[in-house]
Amino acid sequence: MKNIIIGTAGHIDHGKTTLIKALTGRNTDRWEEERRRGITIDLGFTYFDLKNGDRVGIIDVPGHEKFINNMVAGVIGMDLVLLVVAADEGIMPQTREHIDILGLLGMEKSIIVLNKCDLVEEDWIELVEEELREELEGTFLENAPVVRVSAATGQGLDELVDTIEHVMKDEVKEKDIHTIPRLPIDRAFSLSGFGTVITGTLISGSISKDDVLEMYPIGKECKIRNIQVHGVDQERCYAGQRVAINLSNIKKSEIRRGCVIAPKNNMKNTELLDAKISILPSSMRILKNHERLHLYTGTSEILCRAVLLDKEEIGPGESGLVQFRLEEEIAVKRGDRFVVRFYSPMETIGGGVILEPNPVRKRRFDEKTIEELKRKESGSLGDVMELQIKDYADTMITLAELAKVTAHSVDELQEYLDELQTEGRILVFPMKKDVYLWHQDSEFEVREKILAALKAYHEKHPYRYGMKKAEIHNTYLKKVKPIVFDAYIERMVEENKLGRKEEYLQLPGYEVPKDANYQAVEKLLRTTFEKAGYDFVRFSEIDLGKIPRATAEDVMLMMMDEGQCVRINDEMFTLATLMDEAKQKILTHLQSEDVITIAQVRDMFSTSRKSAKPILEYMDSIKVTKKTGGESERVAYL
């Protein structure tokens, strides 16, 4: 099932909120001021179900020009936009600005909703529709379907829902849920008894309850306490869903719109952005060097200065390379879209795409800088390499193989390889015979599965160190060579992304809990072994009461690992102190006698032959004694 987010756009009072209420039965105006003034100031969120059973999240964005910053924040994560135009007024200035913003932010799919059709004659509707087609020519909306409705009477709503379902099914691509999660925050608030809650559209990956992520750009760790999607508690949420997340370890006062949650060390704060900017043909402004602007990206609104790198100025309909010098830190990724508005008066003048999210300061008209940014814009050999590496998610790809599939030499690839590695987009594992390459998204997906498996394992077997490394290899990376898998695990342990105890893998920082249950089992076993002395009992014969045998076995193995107990044979265990005493007595005997027999051991420890024989076999295993040829006789090992 696709997770789809639909948004509205259009001039104030053209009926966006009324349309959503007609579709969903819910009012998205949340604030008293919105209801009193009859306009949407902040983002409103709700959902509705299509006829095929799919649930669609819907965002009501403000139409008033003073609330453009909220409108831009709402676009992030949208798959489809409903451009609402009132049939009695036609296209208006704010509608045009919304169209410009949507185009600059990379919106591709839209439905034009001609609202209030009950208020005008058929001839007038046709004139408005014709005007719309002329106005939208050359924009992403030029081929969008037009649906005539009346949100007030319900006219045309069934046709609109059918059109939405058609576009969703055939034209909207599913978001990648198997990648690194990123959630730009558009709202934060506190609830009594719960603490801090954030909302936003998850634009990539998935987030699970109890995940520990980082809040950028403030650099604070936060734990996911609870997740809601459309008001229903969920264990996991996915890209393309509107979510509300309850966080611990962070206060509402620390969060602002524009913050992002993502995995730790996955993003980097910056006060500089390299970008390609395009000025709207309809703009009346010329962008000059060092112009002060409002920059909108994701849910952020930041003041900045625009340093023009390849031109003296950029006019309407023109494009250029620019470095934004921000007045606050933000965290973004390459390829993110942005919109810029003039500082004063506030009007949208253009937008574009971020080419480098963490650049160094650049000089104007530097040929090397311009060439590098043009290469990033057009799609370099590095981009081709990245796509190829991503195709080998299960096996990894060697540098030699990559050279073959890209038809370039290893030397030609090296510069781009270094860049991909520096940017954290790939992992590199140098081996003796070759270099293995793995995409960051592929690694993240595998690691998430491993961590989920380890979490489940710890819950089921709390008194074990973890899962065997070989089992993890055979389950999640069986097509990767053991030596490369070992290198990967070693790196994850060094980075504290996985924990390890000998050949067992565990969650980072995991320790076997010595809780009341553990202590009760430990006490029972110790008391049993002390009471038995050298008349060993078989483990299967120990009366455990209500204690599950598997739990007792796990505690027994922990006691062995800690040196408290030893295994005598497959069926018998005892305290290490008892066997240490037995070792000293047997060594003392062998200092004066050449041979020790099972009968002598039986008498030495006042036990039975059934227990004396295992004692000698144990002494053989730790190289205190060895057989002389006779089954019942031993001599000193040395």
Side-chain angles (χ1 to χ4, degrees), residues 468-528:
K468 289 183 178 179
K469 184 163 70 76
E471 183 180 352
I472 294 289
H473 183 197
N474 291 330
T475 304
Y476 299 103
L477 285 167
K478 60 184 177 183
K479 295 181 181 178
V480 173
K481 290 186 176 181
I483 189 171
V484 183
F485 173 78
D486 288 344
Y488 166 62
I489 294 299
E490 188 176 330
R491 180 180 298 186
M492 292 300 101
V493 171
E494 286 175 1
E495 295 176 1
N496 198 36
K497 293 176 179 176
L498 286 175
R500 181 174 178 174
K501 173 75 173 181
E502 297 169 355
E503 290 304 301
Y504 296 94
L505 295 181
Q506 55 191 201
L507 292 175
Y510 182 78
E511 292 184 6
V512 173
K514 300 293 184 68
D515 54 18
N517 189 43
Y518 181 98
Q519 292 175 36
V521 178
E522 184 182 46
K523 182 179 180 181
L524 172 65
L525 295 176
R526 178 177 286 279
T527 301
T528 300

Side-chain angles (χ1 to χ4, degrees), residues 537-540 553 556-557 560 566-573 614 617-618:
V537 294
R538 296 175 185 271
F539 191 82
S540 59
E553 289 171 356
M556 181 73 258
L557 292 173
M560 287 175 58
V566 295
R567 182 193 294 271
I568 304 170
N569 58 31
D570 289 343
E571 297 179 318
M572 297 177 178
F573 301 83
E617 288 172 344
Y618 176 78

Side-chain angles (χ1 to χ4, degrees), residues 296-316:
Y296 302 86
T297 182
T299 57
S300 298
E301 177 190 357
I302 303 281
L303 285 169
C304 66
R305 296 280 180 181
V307 176
L308 307 189
L309 298 176
D310 63 344
K311 292 184 178 178
E312 289 292 350
E313 57 184 35
I314 307 174

